[in-house]
Amino acid sequence: MRADVWLWAVRLFKSRSSSAALLRSGRVRVNGTVAKPATSVAVGDTITWRDPLRDRKVVVVELLPKRVGAPLAVKAYRDESPPMPTRQEREAVGVRDRGAGRPTKRERREIDRLRGTRRGR
């Protein structure tokens, strides 16, 4: 089954085109290798990508030929993603005074360290 169709069918993305766009960007990995929209997924495969708030890790439990309701879709994958950051954690990171300008290189590194992300890979 195609990766973009499966991600859309289990309701991890709102539309198939949005799942395909993320796959085309090269930020989605299936079993550790960069995936394209037509990459085949099978039961037991691990799919990882970066959401705006956290890293997502999903294991395929069941292949669905078409989009299904939310209660059935949840049973088709096992979510091994870290928990969502709390509101306080999200607000604490990256808050700058208004008019302070762009962050310096040192400030950028500190922000990245707090967020747990790396830039310039």
Side-chain angles (χ1 to χ4, degrees), residues 1-95:
M1 171 168 233
R2 288 175 57 110
D4 61 342
V5 174
W6 186 83
L7 287 168
W8 168 74
V10 296
R11 297 180 171 265
L12 292 171
F13 288 90
K14 191 171 184 176
S15 67
R16 182 175 169 193
S17 61
S18 64
S19 67
L22 187 68
L23 282 155
R24 272 193 306 276
S25 73
R27 293 182 294 201
V28 178
R29 296 182 179 270
V30 175
N31 295 328
T33 59
V34 176
K36 294 182 178 179
T39 301
S40 294
V41 294
V43 174
D45 286 351
T46 302
I47 303 173
T48 57
W49 73 95
R50 175 91 177 142
D51 254 338
L53 297 176
R54 63 183 173 153
D55 290 327
R56 296 295 307 264
K57 183 177 180 183
V58 174
V59 178
V60 178
V61 174
E62 180 183 350
L63 298 177
L64 301 174
K66 60 182 182 178
R67 193 167 170 101
V68 295
L72 294 175
V74 172
K75 296 177 185 176
Y77 64 91
R78 185 174 66 243
D79 193 359
E80 296 180 352
S81 305
M84 286 283 287
T86 63
R87 182 181 296 253
Q88 290 80 16
E89 290 171 344
R90 285 182 288 185
E91 291 175 353
V93 176
V95 177

Side-chain angles (χ1 to χ4, degrees), residues 50 112-113 115-121:
R50 175 91 177 142
D112 290 342
R113 193 175 327 108
R115 286 185 180 161
T117 59
R118 293 185 341 186
R119 295 174 61 94
R121 292 180 208 181

